[in-house]
Amino acid sequence: MSHRRRSNAAGPPPPEGGCGGATTAAASSPSEGKEKRNLSWVLGSDRRVLALALAFRAVNALLVRTYFNPDEHWQCLEVAHRIAFGYGHLTWEWKRGLRSYLHPLIFAVLYKILALLHLDTPYFMVMAPRLLQSVFASVGDLYLYKFSKLIFNNHVALWTLFSQLVNWFMFFCITRTLSNSLETVLTVSGLYYWFVAIKSSKGTLVVPKQQAASKQSPSSSRKTALVIAALACAIRPTSAITWLYVGLLDFIQMKSKSHFIFLEVIPIGVIVLALTTFLDCWMYGSQVIVPLNFLKFNLFSSGGDYYGTHVFHWYFSQGFPSMIWTFLPFSISGIIKSQEWRLSGLIAWVLGVYSILGHKEFRFVLPVLPLMFMFSGYILAAMTRFNGKGLHEKGHLSRLQLSVILLILTNVPMALYMSLFHQRGTEDVMFYMSQEAQDGRVNSVLFLMPCHSTPYYSTLHYNLPMRFLDCTPSENKGTLDESDRFLMNPPDFVGEVFGNLSSFSHIVLFESEERHVLQLLLHNSFKEVNCC
């Protein structure tokens, strides 16, 4: 809510050369073969899959109009806006060297392009970053499809893609400009190349004839995976949790361990770390090693606990089940029947390590969510075998059809509600303020709400004074920040800190807090504006 001063004041499908498993073959029924051919014709090639993913994620991005996590704006777009246009707020993390500029720079380039094309209007400033992220997300969809096809087969890959696109949380989160979203794309892509290297070294990798000429060697594929892994760790240092498991598991079985460590891991790691450190030192204007600072604050000093903690089993009992939602029983069944323990072990490892940390968020474990869809895809593909053999009565829905209907009905409405309506007001109010500012009707803004509740300059895109309630962690435990003090006693806090509010033309606050300061607002000649 904004106030403006008055103008006058089942049977599993055979894993085609799966890691550690024997390749098997089975005859399929005519109807099953026909169904597979139809699916292959629609989505059979990587280009068709990418085209579908690009179209789907573009619509996905346009439909995401709600607020989810402050980092989407404050740790990415706000920083990018400051780089591109010279103004924008840097939170306390940037003053302590806890964040890398690598991720925001991607969107700073986008902002520069918009400005050069004179497209930096309120609408494009809001939607363009998510549309760019939708391109990254579609690449992640493609690599998940390829990864599933590599581990299992093409039919499983198609149902894995279905699971990825239908799941409510992936729809809700993957096109947002969170570093976790890009980390997820890099993780899936890197895992694909890593497992290509494994299969190539074991002689179990089968590729179409037209791709044989461009087939990478095991060493080349592994180096590609290591570069991607290094970039993921540069963007999110905690991505090392994933790659520590993946690397150690194969390191134990490697014959040329010294070659792997000294000619692959260390050179690639050092080069990426050196380049990103040089970038950060240049942007910060001082010597800083972001991964070290990040790990010291979040892992060794538990600094993240300042923003709240959960019980150790939260990811297993609440967080991850809420994300995967009704795909959970399918994924668990797929884990058991596929016996692909390397991947299921990776999921358990990541959830387990993150469970040790006190501060927990849904987005932290987003990178392993797509792996669960590989297992749900495995079971859905297995159901088509029973469906193809005509084991259901004519006129009755098959198990597969019932499962697909269930998954769609339980995920699509939730995805649309969470993306279009839930917590939308804080996004809408800043879009409204941006339009008002462009028309010259805003002079200064005060946000009387918990810190980082709305986007900031990256959405307003107008250089004018703004003030929000600070919530920088204090070194003295028990010290209340401005957000806490305001919520405890709104009228006294406003009177003590801001006086008569005469220096602000607009005040933004939640309806739940408005009643506490309504008389003060009316006394200072503010009126309510129903903008959102």
Side-chain angles (χ1 to χ4, degrees), residues 463-519:
N463 194 5
L464 52 81
M466 294 201 293
R467 171 76 156 85
F468 66 92
L469 305 183
D470 182 63
C471 59
T472 302
S474 173
E475 296 182 358
N476 301 320
K477 291 186 177 181
T479 302
L480 297 178
D481 58 38
E482 289 186 345
S483 294
D484 294 328
R485 290 165 56 198
F486 170 72
L487 294 175
M488 288 179 63
N489 194 328
D492 289 351
F493 174 81
V494 173
E496 174 187 345
V497 177
F498 301 107
N500 61 8
L501 304 176
S502 60
S503 59
F504 301 101
S505 65
H506 288 69
I507 296 177
V508 182
L509 71 166
F510 289 119
E511 187 177 12
S512 58
E513 305 303 328
E514 179 197 19
R515 56 190 177 91
H516 297 297
V517 294
L518 181 59
Q519 294 303 317

Side-chain angles (χ1 to χ4, degrees), residues 394-409:
K394 188 176 181 179
H396 293 272
L397 294 175
S398 67
R399 286 173 52 192
L400 175 65
Q401 291 169 328
L402 287 172
S403 298
V404 170
I405 292 172
L406 170 68
L407 292 170
I408 291 175
L409 289 180

